[in-house]
């Protein structure tokens, strides 16, 4: 039996990924159109259940990440399995806090919980083999770079969930304004985190490889994501976009960020993979 097959963190992570699917299904039921009194009763029960299941899923995966971290002696930075697991936890924590503190953010639940559940399903399909930390990752600046990136992606995901809620349902003018306003508030915060992430990344690059910036694929795509986010914020302010047009832009920002985080590092040979 391989080490990965008996790794103690896998039970926690698999349980969390499975529970996330339940949470996503309950969230979809919660906001589905109501056609009968029975459907209303089902939805009323799903309202607290989806959030409770989601929080439990995030806790389980977070514990699994912590167990793996303790066992291997390094953070979850390297393989697709580690990156998906850590982002499942970080995105989940960001949304759990937003859901608890901002009532309007609760409308984002179907989109956000579905995205996190899909990350969990994808994670289960990847190789959980043990990893060893490359020398270029042994720097404290990396921690700031990674944490800032996770906060950026978490804020962008909440904004996308709000945009999805705005596009998917006919809501009152007041609800539309509330969704639109909160969506762009999260995107403005996301810009702060992404800007700081790029700066921290440059400091890491100088420390690890002796250069601040080299336009490698991940650096290029991260900067492109920053430009698109800046452009979206500018367009929204300068051209008074309709809420629906703004929602499409917000979703586009997240899609580009998602491809940058989970695609580019694994289809290119770049220093970010520890190759240097």
């Amino acid at each position: 039996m391989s080490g990965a097959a008996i790794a103690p963190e896998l039970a926690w992570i698999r349980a969390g990924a499975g529970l996330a699917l339940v949470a996503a299904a309950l969230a979809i039921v919660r906001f589905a159109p109501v056609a009968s009194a029975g459907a209303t009763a089902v939805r009323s029960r799903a309202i607290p259940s989806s959030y409770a299941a989601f929080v439990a899923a995030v806790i389980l995966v977070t514990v699994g990440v912590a167990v793996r971290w303790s066992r291997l002696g390094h953070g979850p930075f390297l393989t697709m399995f580690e990156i998906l697991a850590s982002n499942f936890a970080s995105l989940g924590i960001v949304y759990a806090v937003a859901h608890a503190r901002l009532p309007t953010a609760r409308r984002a639940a179907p989109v956000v919980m579905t995205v996190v559940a899909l990350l969990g399903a994808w994670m289960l399909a990847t190789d959980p083999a043990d990893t060893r930390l490359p020398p270029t990752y042994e720097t404290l600046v990396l921690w700031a770079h990674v944490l800032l990136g996770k906060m950026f992606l978490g804020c962008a995901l909440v904004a996308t969930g709000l945009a999805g809620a705005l596009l998917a349902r006919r809501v009152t003018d007041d609800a539309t304004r509330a969704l639109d306003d909160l969506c762009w508030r999260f995107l403005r915060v996301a810009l702060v985190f992404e800007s700081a992430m790029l700066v921290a990344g440059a400091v890491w690059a100088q420390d690890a490889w002796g250069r601040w910036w080299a336009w490698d694929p991940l650096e290029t795509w991260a900067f492109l994501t920053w430009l698109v986010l800046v452009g979206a914020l500018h367009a929204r302010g300068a051209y008074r976009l309709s809420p629906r047009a703004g929602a499409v832009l917000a979703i586009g920002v997240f899609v580009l960020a998602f491809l940058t985080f989970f695609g580019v590092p694994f289809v290119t040979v770049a220093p970010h993979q520890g190759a240097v």
Side-chain angles (χ1 to χ4, degrees):
M1 184 177 293
S2 67
I6 61 173
E9 68 269 11
L10 293 183
W12 294 94
I13 289 173
R14 288 168 179 165
L19 194 54
L21 292 171
V22 175
L26 289 170
I28 292 170
V29 169
R30 170 184 174 180
F31 288 101
V34 177
S36 66
T40 301
V42 170
R43 191 171 73 171
S44 67
R45 289 193 295 270
I47 289 175
S49 301
S50 62
Y51 182 64
F54 184 74
V55 170
V58 172
I59 290 172
L60 288 169
V61 173
T62 301
V63 170
V65 170
V67 170
R68 182 180 177 90
W69 187 341
S70 176
R71 183 172 65 83
L72 297 181
H74 65 75
F77 303 137
L78 302 177
T79 65
M80 181 64 84
F81 176 82
E82 292 179 347
I83 290 173
L84 288 170
S86 63
N87 277 280
F88 182 111
S90 62
L91 296 180
I93 290 169
V94 169
Y95 182 63
V97 172
H99 186 287
R101 296 183 63 85
L102 302 169
T104 301
R106 296 168 190 174
R107 292 180 176 267
V111 173
V112 173
M113 292 185 187
T114 298
V115 170
V116 173
L118 290 175
L119 286 181
W122 185 8
M123 173 181 62
L124 296 182
T126 60
D127 184 3
D130 291 354
T131 55
R132 298 175 65 182
L133 197 68
T136 53
Y137 282 64
E138 294 177 354
T139 168
L140 291 176
V141 180
L142 172 63
W143 288 95
H145 177 59
V146 170
L147 289 173
L148 289 165
K150 291 183 184 302
M151 292 300 299
F152 155 65
L153 194 63
C155 291
L157 176 58
V158 177
T160 295
L162 293 164
L166 195 156
L167 291 174
R169 306 183 70 208
R170 292 186 176 182
V171 295
T172 65
D173 289 342
D174 287 344
T176 295
R177 283 193 293 271
L179 288 168
D180 181 62
D181 179 66
L182 189 59
C183 171
W184 289 96
R185 282 168 58 192
F186 269 98
L187 284 179
R188 287 192 289 271
V189 176
L191 177 62
V192 174
F193 282 120
E194 189 183 15
S195 300
M197 178 195 75
L198 291 177
V199 173
V203 175
W204 172 35
Q206 173 64 23
D207 184 42
W209 306 303
R211 48 78 169 173
W212 298 97
W213 194 271
W215 295 104
D216 75 38
L218 188 54
E219 290 172 347
T220 301
W221 278 84
F223 183 60
L224 178 61
T225 302
W226 184 86
L227 287 176
V228 170
L229 177 52
V230 169
L233 288 165
H234 174 72
R236 199 252 181 175
Y239 302 108
R240 296 185 179 180
L241 299 175
S242 69
R244 295 183 71 83
V248 172
L249 265 182
I251 292 171
V253 169
F254 177 74
V255 169
L256 182 57
F258 189 92
L259 294 174
T260 299
F261 271 67
F262 301 110
V264 175
F266 297 95
V267 297
T268 62
V269 177
H272 294 82
Q273 293 176 308
V276 173

